[in-house]
Amino acid sequence: MSLLEVKDVTMQFGGLTAVTNFNLHINNDEIVGLIGPNGAGKTTCFNVITGEYIPSKGSVFFEKKDITKARSDQVTKLGIARTFQNIRLFKDLTVLENVLIANHLNVKSNLFTAIFKLPKYQKEERQMYEKSLDLLKELKLERFKNEKSSSLPYGLQRRLEIARALATQPKLLLLDEPAAGMNPQESIELMKLINEIKEKFNLTIFMIEHHMPVIMGVCKRILVLDHGLTIAEGTPKEIQTNPKVIEAYLGVETIA
Amino acid sequence: MSKKVITSLILILITITLLIIAQNNLDSFSLRILNLCGIYVIFAVSMNLINGFTGQLALGHAGFIAVGAYSYSLLVMDPQLKEMNFFLKPLIAPLNTVHWPFLPALILAGLMAALAGFLVGAPALRLRGDYLAIATLGFGEIIRIIFTNTQSITNGSLGLKGIPAPDKFLFFSMKNSLMWWVWIAAIITVIFHFLLIDSSYGRAFKAIREDEKAAQAMGIALFKHKVMAMVISSFFAGIGGALLASLIGTIDPLMFRFLLTFNILLIVVVGGMGSISGSIISAISITILMEVLRALDQGFMGLPALPGLRMVVFALLLMSVVLFYPKGLMGNEELSWNKLMNLLKKPLLLKEVKK
């Protein structure tokens, strides 16, 4: 079944066209990768899907619902969560608080029930804590729960961002360069983690990545973007041998 | 009952005991300052919600205080007094005969200020940072200018005089019932804000302060939560304004210039953006300091009287606070039992080591 459908999206910033006629179709239970040289428009695609930008042309459908013009908090409520390329944790808050905040969108108590801690809210709050702690346990962050999130080492901050995104209970998870700045060892752990959470939380994943070993190891299908144009789509093997892709990354051999 | 509830109950009891002692021992001038302290606690804590916790630099507080002060005054003054006040232009129809008791007037004053907060916040909170500051500053001034020019509602620049103070606290006649109203209102304000910050909504506010984009990506509706914080903040500003009006007994639009906003902002910054206990400590100490330093103006230790010297000293004190505590006295932490204990323990431990 199709989960996300991006149709002919073009994104222009003034005179600059960042993405041209981008089409994407993601089925349930897939892991799809998006690669491309720097400035190819990968993050712009993410921002269009998550409602950060409204595309100049084209439309985005999630579970057959038009979300082209939805705000990013509405998109998250529908079930698309994301992480950021440059980590955006709530730095001054603790690890546990970071995850608790992601639970806020499911809070049904109104402001006054929450302030006066009426039984309905207390129950919700308890559930929130339990869920968050379970999630932290799942991602092996439990022993840092009372640390400030900015005091975590880099790799764990990335992991916490994933935990926070998972706490919104998404159906589709968008990962923006999850392996950026990681050493080979950490990258391998990350690959394992992505496969694990996919199974455990029944997720569909769409990720941007530069580390070829990670993306080739995790994704079954890859899209290649260059200068805003989709230049190739296929299995990792097909992509590796595609002349257009090699040209985009390495340039063309010219005979002088 | 949890440890938290017990400590808060003990703290409230201590405050009330101190108030009883103050009521019996202080002269009327000191009592006035004590009341002013309570009112500034309300102002500072409420401003901290929008500025410190939600991270929106909104500078319209004086406007909301004015709305609260005027609504309260127009409700509690008796018709005869109103006629005496409005000698240039009579007060418009329904207002000239209303005569409400204290508590309903106080609450309505808060609600009117909250409404003003909503009307200002709805357009202004679409802006961010400096732009928001400028817009809210402008709105605050607009409120004041409207009050200056609506002669038949607010008596314009003549102001209102003879605003009565409550003669009863709830149903008890007290020697100094205003003090009880002020401090009970301050205690309720503080408890309310602690509970709010401790709830899921409070966490959402803090998330907005930390990173708006990430907060929105976590499903927090930015605009809704910002307006929520603004409305709550202005509600308490209105309550504080009403109490200020009944304490001073006379109000005019010039009282509510942006200087008032900056005074409160200063208290919040000195106490620490995002710390309720910091706001309380700094509101009380700055209000008292402003009065104690008055002695400097009258000449001391053989120096001739130099009007304005207290502001110089005050400025120096502020600068040293900002130099040594760049995040305010408390940063964004709360005063807690454990921290106090640790502070006490440290010197003791050192002594033991020396032995």
Side-chain angles (χ1 to χ4, degrees), chain A residues 34-89:
Chain A
L34 181 63
I35 62 172
N38 285 330
K42 302 180 298 287
T43 300
T44 306
C45 286
F46 262 39
N47 285 340
V48 167
I49 295 170
T50 56
E52 192 93 29
Y53 300 149
I54 293 170
S56 326
K57 254 192 275 169
S59 40
V60 185
F61 294 91
F62 181 66
E63 293 187 314
K64 306 254 150 58
K65 220 183 257 168
D66 189 351
I67 57 162
T68 317
K69 287 190 175 134
R71 286 195 318 264
S72 55
D73 54 287
Q74 292 166 332
V75 172
T76 309
K77 261 181 202 160
L78 287 172
I80 303 181
R82 72 173 293 181
T83 66
F84 293 91
Q85 185 177 0
N86 38 355
I87 302 177
R88 280 173 171 267
L89 289 170

Short mmCIF file of all heavy atoms in Angstrom, two decimals, chain A residues 34-89:
data_model
loop_
_atom_site.label_atom_id
_atom_site.label_comp_id
_atom_site.label_asym_id
_atom_site.label_seq_id
_atom_site.Cartn_x
_atom_site.Cartn_y
_atom_site.Cartn_z
N LEU A 34 17.87 8.47 -0.08
CA LEU A 34 17.99 9.60 -1.01
C LEU A 34 19.42 10.07 -0.93
O LEU A 34 19.91 10.44 0.13
CB LEU A 34 17.02 10.71 -0.57
CG LEU A 34 16.96 11.97 -1.42
CD1 LEU A 34 16.48 11.67 -2.81
CD2 LEU A 34 16.05 13.00 -0.77
N ILE A 35 20.12 10.02 -2.07
CA ILE A 35 21.50 10.49 -2.06
C ILE A 35 21.70 11.54 -3.14
O ILE A 35 20.82 11.78 -3.97
CB ILE A 35 22.52 9.34 -2.26
CG1 ILE A 35 22.32 8.67 -3.61
CG2 ILE A 35 22.43 8.34 -1.14
CD1 ILE A 35 23.40 7.66 -3.96
N GLY A 36 22.85 12.14 -3.11
CA GLY A 36 23.15 13.17 -4.09
C GLY A 36 24.27 14.04 -3.58
O GLY A 36 24.49 14.11 -2.37
N PRO A 37 25.01 14.70 -4.49
CA PRO A 37 26.10 15.57 -4.05
C PRO A 37 25.57 16.73 -3.21
O PRO A 37 24.37 16.96 -3.15
CB PRO A 37 26.69 16.09 -5.36
CG PRO A 37 26.10 15.27 -6.44
CD PRO A 37 24.86 14.68 -5.94
N ASN A 38 26.46 17.47 -2.59
CA ASN A 38 26.05 18.62 -1.77
C ASN A 38 25.24 19.61 -2.59
O ASN A 38 25.55 19.87 -3.74
CB ASN A 38 27.28 19.35 -1.23
CG ASN A 38 27.91 18.56 -0.11
OD1 ASN A 38 27.23 17.85 0.60
ND2 ASN A 38 29.22 18.70 0.03
N GLY A 39 24.19 20.14 -1.97
CA GLY A 39 23.40 21.15 -2.64
C GLY A 39 22.47 20.58 -3.70
O GLY A 39 21.95 21.32 -4.54
N ALA A 40 22.24 19.27 -3.69
CA ALA A 40 21.40 18.67 -4.71
C ALA A 40 19.92 18.89 -4.44
O ALA A 40 19.09 18.72 -5.32
CB ALA A 40 21.70 17.17 -4.80
N GLY A 41 19.58 19.29 -3.20
CA GLY A 41 18.18 19.56 -2.87
C GLY A 41 17.54 18.47 -2.02
O GLY A 41 16.33 18.39 -1.92
N LYS A 42 18.38 17.67 -1.37
CA LYS A 42 17.84 16.55 -0.58
C LYS A 42 17.06 17.05 0.63
O LYS A 42 15.92 16.64 0.86
CB LYS A 42 18.99 15.64 -0.10
CG LYS A 42 19.83 15.07 -1.22
CD LYS A 42 20.93 14.19 -0.71
CE LYS A 42 21.94 14.86 0.19
NZ LYS A 42 22.88 15.78 -0.45
N THR A 43 17.69 17.95 1.39
CA THR A 43 17.01 18.44 2.59
C THR A 43 15.78 19.25 2.21
O THR A 43 14.78 19.25 2.93
CB THR A 43 17.99 19.26 3.44
OG1 THR A 43 19.08 18.42 3.81
CG2 THR A 43 17.34 19.75 4.72
N THR A 44 15.83 19.93 1.05
CA THR A 44 14.65 20.66 0.60
C THR A 44 13.48 19.71 0.41
O THR A 44 12.34 20.01 0.79
CB THR A 44 14.96 21.41 -0.71
OG1 THR A 44 16.11 22.21 -0.52
CG2 THR A 44 13.80 22.27 -1.14
N CYS A 45 13.75 18.53 -0.15
CA CYS A 45 12.70 17.52 -0.31
C CYS A 45 12.09 17.16 1.04
O CYS A 45 10.86 17.09 1.19
CB CYS A 45 13.27 16.25 -0.93
SG CYS A 45 13.62 16.42 -2.66
N PHE A 46 12.96 16.95 2.02
CA PHE A 46 12.49 16.65 3.38
C PHE A 46 11.61 17.76 3.90
O PHE A 46 10.55 17.52 4.47
CB PHE A 46 13.70 16.49 4.31
CG PHE A 46 14.10 15.07 4.53
CD1 PHE A 46 14.06 14.17 3.48
CD2 PHE A 46 14.51 14.63 5.77
CE1 PHE A 46 14.43 12.86 3.68
CE2 PHE A 46 14.88 13.32 5.98
CZ PHE A 46 14.84 12.42 4.94
N ASN A 47 12.08 18.99 3.71
CA ASN A 47 11.34 20.13 4.24
C ASN A 47 9.99 20.29 3.57
O ASN A 47 9.03 20.75 4.19
CB ASN A 47 12.17 21.41 4.10
CG ASN A 47 13.28 21.46 5.13
OD1 ASN A 47 13.23 20.77 6.14
ND2 ASN A 47 14.30 22.26 4.85
N VAL A 48 9.92 19.92 2.30
CA VAL A 48 8.63 19.99 1.61
C VAL A 48 7.68 18.93 2.18
O VAL A 48 6.52 19.20 2.48
CB VAL A 48 8.81 19.79 0.09
CG1 VAL A 48 7.47 19.54 -0.59
CG2 VAL A 48 9.48 21.00 -0.52
N ILE A 49 8.21 17.73 2.39
CA ILE A 49 7.36 16.65 2.91
C ILE A 49 6.86 16.98 4.31
O ILE A 49 5.69 16.78 4.64
CB ILE A 49 8.13 15.31 2.92
CG1 ILE A 49 8.46 14.89 1.48
CG2 ILE A 49 7.30 14.22 3.60
CD1 ILE A 49 9.41 13.72 1.39
N THR A 50 7.76 17.52 5.16
CA THR A 50 7.36 17.76 6.56
C THR A 50 6.62 19.07 6.77
O THR A 50 6.28 19.41 7.89
CB THR A 50 8.58 17.75 7.49
OG1 THR A 50 9.51 18.72 7.01
CG2 THR A 50 9.24 16.41 7.55
N GLY A 51 6.38 19.81 5.70
CA GLY A 51 5.56 21.01 5.85
C GLY A 51 6.34 22.25 6.23
O GLY A 51 5.76 23.30 6.49
N GLU A 52 7.65 22.12 6.28
CA GLU A 52 8.49 23.28 6.57
C GLU A 52 8.36 24.30 5.42
O GLU A 52 8.25 25.50 5.65
CB GLU A 52 9.94 22.82 6.69
CG GLU A 52 10.87 23.83 7.25
CD GLU A 52 11.00 23.67 8.75
OE1 GLU A 52 10.85 22.54 9.28
OE2 GLU A 52 11.24 24.68 9.38
N TYR A 53 8.37 23.79 4.19
CA TYR A 53 8.15 24.62 2.99
C TYR A 53 6.87 24.18 2.32
O TYR A 53 6.51 23.00 2.35
CB TYR A 53 9.29 24.43 1.98
CG TYR A 53 10.66 24.77 2.44
CD1 TYR A 53 11.76 24.09 1.93
CD2 TYR A 53 10.88 25.80 3.36
CE1 TYR A 53 13.04 24.40 2.34
CE2 TYR A 53 12.16 26.12 3.77
CZ TYR A 53 13.24 25.41 3.26
OH TYR A 53 14.50 25.71 3.66
N ILE A 54 6.20 25.13 1.69
CA ILE A 54 5.08 24.79 0.82
C ILE A 54 5.63 24.82 -0.60
O ILE A 54 6.19 25.83 -1.03
CB ILE A 54 3.92 25.78 1.00
CG1 ILE A 54 3.35 25.62 2.41
CG2 ILE A 54 2.84 25.53 -0.04
CD1 ILE A 54 2.36 26.68 2.79
N PRO A 55 5.51 23.71 -1.36
CA PRO A 55 6.15 23.67 -2.68
C PRO A 55 5.53 24.67 -3.65
O PRO A 55 4.34 25.01 -3.54
CB PRO A 55 5.89 22.23 -3.15
CG PRO A 55 4.75 21.75 -2.33
CD PRO A 55 4.83 22.46 -1.03
N SER A 56 6.35 25.15 -4.60
CA SER A 56 5.84 26.10 -5.59
C SER A 56 4.86 25.42 -6.53
O SER A 56 3.93 26.03 -7.03
CB SER A 56 6.98 26.71 -6.40
OG SER A 56 8.13 26.85 -5.61
N LYS A 57 5.13 24.15 -6.79
CA LYS A 57 4.24 23.38 -7.68
C LYS A 57 4.19 21.96 -7.15
O LYS A 57 5.11 21.51 -6.47
CB LYS A 57 4.81 23.38 -9.10
CG LYS A 57 4.04 24.28 -10.07
CD LYS A 57 4.48 23.99 -11.50
CE LYS A 57 5.72 24.79 -11.84
NZ LYS A 57 6.36 24.41 -13.08
N GLY A 58 3.14 21.25 -7.49
CA GLY A 58 3.06 19.84 -7.13
C GLY A 58 2.36 19.61 -5.80
O GLY A 58 1.96 20.57 -5.13
N SER A 59 2.23 18.35 -5.42
CA SER A 59 1.52 18.07 -4.17
C SER A 59 2.09 16.85 -3.46
O SER A 59 2.79 16.03 -4.06
CB SER A 59 0.03 17.89 -4.43
OG SER A 59 -0.16 17.16 -5.61
N VAL A 60 1.80 16.77 -2.17
CA VAL A 60 2.29 15.70 -1.33
C VAL A 60 1.09 15.00 -0.68
O VAL A 60 0.21 15.67 -0.15
CB VAL A 60 3.22 16.24 -0.22
CG1 VAL A 60 3.81 15.10 0.57
CG2 VAL A 60 4.30 17.12 -0.80
N PHE A 61 1.06 13.68 -0.78
CA PHE A 61 -0.04 12.94 -0.16
C PHE A 61 0.53 11.97 0.85
O PHE A 61 1.52 11.28 0.57
CB PHE A 61 -0.83 12.15 -1.21
CG PHE A 61 -1.55 13.03 -2.18
CD1 PHE A 61 -0.94 13.43 -3.37
CD2 PHE A 61 -2.83 13.47 -1.91
CE1 PHE A 61 -1.60 14.24 -4.25
CE2 PHE A 61 -3.50 14.28 -2.81
CZ PHE A 61 -2.89 14.68 -3.99
N PHE A 62 -0.08 11.91 2.02
CA PHE A 62 0.32 10.93 3.02
C PHE A 62 -0.91 10.12 3.38
O PHE A 62 -1.93 10.68 3.81
CB PHE A 62 0.87 11.64 4.26
CG PHE A 62 1.32 10.70 5.34
CD1 PHE A 62 2.41 9.86 5.13
CD2 PHE A 62 0.66 10.65 6.56
CE1 PHE A 62 2.83 9.00 6.12
CE2 PHE A 62 1.08 9.78 7.55
CZ PHE A 62 2.17 8.95 7.32
N GLU A 63 -0.86 8.83 3.16
CA GLU A 63 -2.02 7.96 3.34
C GLU A 63 -3.22 8.51 2.59
O GLU A 63 -4.31 8.63 3.15
CB GLU A 63 -2.34 7.79 4.83
CG GLU A 63 -1.27 7.03 5.57
CD GLU A 63 -1.67 6.73 7.00
OE1 GLU A 63 -2.17 7.66 7.66
OE2 GLU A 63 -1.49 5.59 7.44
N LYS A 64 -3.01 8.93 1.38
CA LYS A 64 -4.05 9.45 0.48
C LYS A 64 -4.58 10.82 0.90
O LYS A 64 -5.53 11.33 0.34
CB LYS A 64 -5.25 8.46 0.40
CG LYS A 64 -4.85 7.05 0.02
CD LYS A 64 -5.24 6.74 -1.40
CE LYS A 64 -4.31 5.74 -2.06
NZ LYS A 64 -4.20 4.45 -1.39
N LYS A 65 -4.00 11.39 1.96
CA LYS A 65 -4.45 12.71 2.41
C LYS A 65 -3.51 13.77 1.86
O LYS A 65 -2.29 13.59 1.88
CB LYS A 65 -4.42 12.75 3.94
CG LYS A 65 -5.61 13.46 4.54
CD LYS A 65 -5.47 13.53 6.04
CE LYS A 65 -6.36 12.52 6.75
NZ LYS A 65 -6.04 12.39 8.16
N ASP A 66 -4.07 14.87 1.38
CA ASP A 66 -3.23 15.94 0.83
C ASP A 66 -2.59 16.72 1.98
O ASP A 66 -3.30 17.34 2.77
CB ASP A 66 -4.10 16.86 -0.02
CG ASP A 66 -3.25 17.85 -0.80
OD1 ASP A 66 -2.03 17.92 -0.54
OD2 ASP A 66 -3.80 18.56 -1.67
N ILE A 67 -1.28 16.68 2.07
CA ILE A 67 -0.62 17.42 3.15
C ILE A 67 0.29 18.50 2.58
O ILE A 67 1.20 18.99 3.23
CB ILE A 67 0.20 16.49 4.07
CG1 ILE A 67 1.23 15.70 3.26
CG2 ILE A 67 -0.69 15.56 4.85
CD1 ILE A 67 2.33 15.11 4.13
N THR A 68 0.03 18.88 1.34
CA THR A 68 0.91 19.86 0.69
C THR A 68 1.03 21.14 1.50
O THR A 68 2.10 21.71 1.63
CB THR A 68 0.36 20.20 -0.71
OG1 THR A 68 -0.05 19.00 -1.33
CG2 THR A 68 1.40 20.90 -1.55
N LYS A 69 -0.11 21.59 2.04
CA LYS A 69 -0.09 22.89 2.71
C LYS A 69 -0.16 22.78 4.22
O LYS A 69 -0.35 23.78 4.91
CB LYS A 69 -1.24 23.75 2.18
CG LYS A 69 -0.94 24.20 0.76
CD LYS A 69 -1.90 25.23 0.26
CE LYS A 69 -1.44 25.71 -1.10
NZ LYS A 69 -2.50 25.77 -2.08
N ALA A 70 0.00 21.57 4.76
CA ALA A 70 -0.10 21.40 6.20
C ALA A 70 1.15 21.97 6.88
O ALA A 70 2.23 21.96 6.31
CB ALA A 70 -0.26 19.93 6.53
N ARG A 71 0.96 22.48 8.12
CA ARG A 71 2.11 22.95 8.91
C ARG A 71 2.87 21.75 9.44
O ARG A 71 2.32 20.66 9.54
CB ARG A 71 1.62 23.78 10.11
CG ARG A 71 1.13 25.15 9.80
CD ARG A 71 1.05 25.95 11.10
NE ARG A 71 0.51 25.16 12.19
CZ ARG A 71 -0.76 25.18 12.55
NH1 ARG A 71 -1.61 25.96 11.93
NH2 ARG A 71 -1.18 24.45 13.56
N SER A 72 4.13 21.97 9.83
CA SER A 72 4.92 20.80 10.20
C SER A 72 4.40 20.12 11.46
O SER A 72 4.53 18.91 11.60
CB SER A 72 6.40 21.14 10.31
OG SER A 72 6.61 22.18 11.19
N ASP A 73 3.76 20.87 12.38
CA ASP A 73 3.22 20.17 13.55
C ASP A 73 2.02 19.30 13.17
O ASP A 73 1.82 18.23 13.74
CB ASP A 73 2.85 21.16 14.67
CG ASP A 73 1.91 22.24 14.22
OD1 ASP A 73 2.36 23.14 13.48
OD2 ASP A 73 0.74 22.20 14.58
N GLN A 74 1.25 19.76 12.17
CA GLN A 74 0.12 18.94 11.73
C GLN A 74 0.61 17.68 11.04
O GLN A 74 0.05 16.60 11.22
CB GLN A 74 -0.75 19.76 10.77
CG GLN A 74 -1.46 20.91 11.46
CD GLN A 74 -2.04 21.91 10.50
OE1 GLN A 74 -1.53 22.09 9.40
NE2 GLN A 74 -3.11 22.58 10.90
N VAL A 75 1.68 17.83 10.25
CA VAL A 75 2.25 16.69 9.56
C VAL A 75 2.73 15.66 10.57
O VAL A 75 2.50 14.46 10.43
CB VAL A 75 3.40 17.14 8.63
CG1 VAL A 75 4.13 15.95 8.06
CG2 VAL A 75 2.87 18.02 7.52
N THR A 76 3.39 16.15 11.64
CA THR A 76 3.87 15.24 12.67
C THR A 76 2.71 14.51 13.33
O THR A 76 2.79 13.32 13.63
CB THR A 76 4.67 16.01 13.73
OG1 THR A 76 5.63 16.81 13.06
CG2 THR A 76 5.37 15.07 14.68
N LYS A 77 1.63 15.23 13.56
CA LYS A 77 0.46 14.60 14.18
C LYS A 77 -0.10 13.49 13.31
O LYS A 77 -0.61 12.50 13.81
CB LYS A 77 -0.62 15.66 14.44
CG LYS A 77 -0.58 16.11 15.89
CD LYS A 77 -1.62 17.13 16.22
CE LYS A 77 -1.15 17.88 17.44
NZ LYS A 77 -1.77 19.15 17.64
N LEU A 78 -0.01 13.67 11.99
CA LEU A 78 -0.52 12.63 11.09
C LEU A 78 0.37 11.40 11.07
O LEU A 78 -0.06 10.33 10.67
CB LEU A 78 -0.64 13.20 9.67
CG LEU A 78 -1.78 14.18 9.45
CD1 LEU A 78 -1.68 14.80 8.07
CD2 LEU A 78 -3.12 13.49 9.61
N GLY A 79 1.63 11.55 11.48
CA GLY A 79 2.48 10.37 11.57
C GLY A 79 3.76 10.41 10.77
O GLY A 79 4.28 9.38 10.36
N ILE A 80 4.28 11.61 10.50
CA ILE A 80 5.59 11.69 9.88
C ILE A 80 6.53 12.37 10.87
O ILE A 80 6.30 13.51 11.25
CB ILE A 80 5.57 12.52 8.57
CG1 ILE A 80 4.56 11.93 7.59
CG2 ILE A 80 6.96 12.56 7.95
CD1 ILE A 80 4.49 12.66 6.28
N ALA A 81 7.56 11.69 11.31
CA ALA A 81 8.52 12.31 12.23
C ALA A 81 9.85 12.45 11.51
O ALA A 81 10.12 11.74 10.55
CB ALA A 81 8.67 11.47 13.47
N ARG A 82 10.67 13.38 11.97
CA ARG A 82 11.94 13.58 11.30
C ARG A 82 13.05 13.86 12.30
O ARG A 82 12.81 14.22 13.45
CB ARG A 82 11.85 14.76 10.35
CG ARG A 82 11.78 16.09 11.07
CD ARG A 82 11.88 17.25 10.12
NE ARG A 82 13.20 17.30 9.50
CZ ARG A 82 13.56 18.24 8.63
NH1 ARG A 82 12.70 19.17 8.29
NH2 ARG A 82 14.76 18.25 8.12
N THR A 83 14.28 13.65 11.84
CA THR A 83 15.44 14.14 12.58
C THR A 83 16.10 15.20 11.71
O THR A 83 15.75 15.34 10.54
CB THR A 83 16.45 13.02 12.87
OG1 THR A 83 16.99 12.59 11.62
CG2 THR A 83 15.80 11.86 13.57
N PHE A 84 17.02 15.94 12.31
CA PHE A 84 17.62 17.05 11.57
C PHE A 84 19.07 16.76 11.21
O PHE A 84 19.76 16.04 11.93
CB PHE A 84 17.54 18.33 12.40
CG PHE A 84 16.15 18.81 12.60
CD1 PHE A 84 15.41 18.41 13.69
CD2 PHE A 84 15.56 19.66 11.68
CE1 PHE A 84 14.11 18.85 13.87
CE2 PHE A 84 14.27 20.11 11.86
CZ PHE A 84 13.54 19.70 12.95
N GLN A 85 19.49 17.39 10.12
CA GLN A 85 20.87 17.20 9.65
C GLN A 85 21.86 17.73 10.69
O GLN A 85 22.79 17.05 11.09
CB GLN A 85 21.03 17.95 8.33
CG GLN A 85 22.36 17.75 7.67
CD GLN A 85 22.40 18.47 6.34
OE1 GLN A 85 21.43 19.10 5.92
NE2 GLN A 85 23.52 18.38 5.67
N ASN A 86 21.63 18.98 11.14
CA ASN A 86 22.45 19.51 12.23
C ASN A 86 21.60 19.38 13.48
O ASN A 86 20.58 20.02 13.61
CB ASN A 86 22.84 20.96 12.00
CG ASN A 86 21.73 21.74 11.36
OD1 ASN A 86 20.69 21.18 11.02
ND2 ASN A 86 21.88 23.03 11.22
N ILE A 87 22.05 18.53 14.38
CA ILE A 87 21.24 18.12 15.53
C ILE A 87 20.50 19.30 16.16
O ILE A 87 21.08 20.34 16.43
CB ILE A 87 22.15 17.48 16.59
CG1 ILE A 87 22.86 16.30 15.96
CG2 ILE A 87 21.37 17.07 17.81
CD1 ILE A 87 23.84 15.63 16.86
N ARG A 88 19.21 19.13 16.36
CA ARG A 88 18.41 20.16 17.00
C ARG A 88 17.70 19.60 18.21
O ARG A 88 16.49 19.43 18.21
CB ARG A 88 17.35 20.68 16.02
CG ARG A 88 17.86 21.66 15.01
CD ARG A 88 16.78 21.95 14.02
NE ARG A 88 17.16 23.05 13.17
CZ ARG A 88 16.86 24.32 13.40
NH1 ARG A 88 16.17 24.65 14.45
NH2 ARG A 88 17.25 25.25 12.56
N LEU A 89 18.47 19.29 19.24
CA LEU A 89 17.86 18.84 20.48
C LEU A 89 17.46 20.05 21.30
O LEU A 89 17.89 21.17 21.01
CB LEU A 89 18.86 17.99 21.27
CG LEU A 89 19.16 16.62 20.68
CD1 LEU A 89 20.33 16.00 21.40
CD2 LEU A 89 17.95 15.72 20.78
#
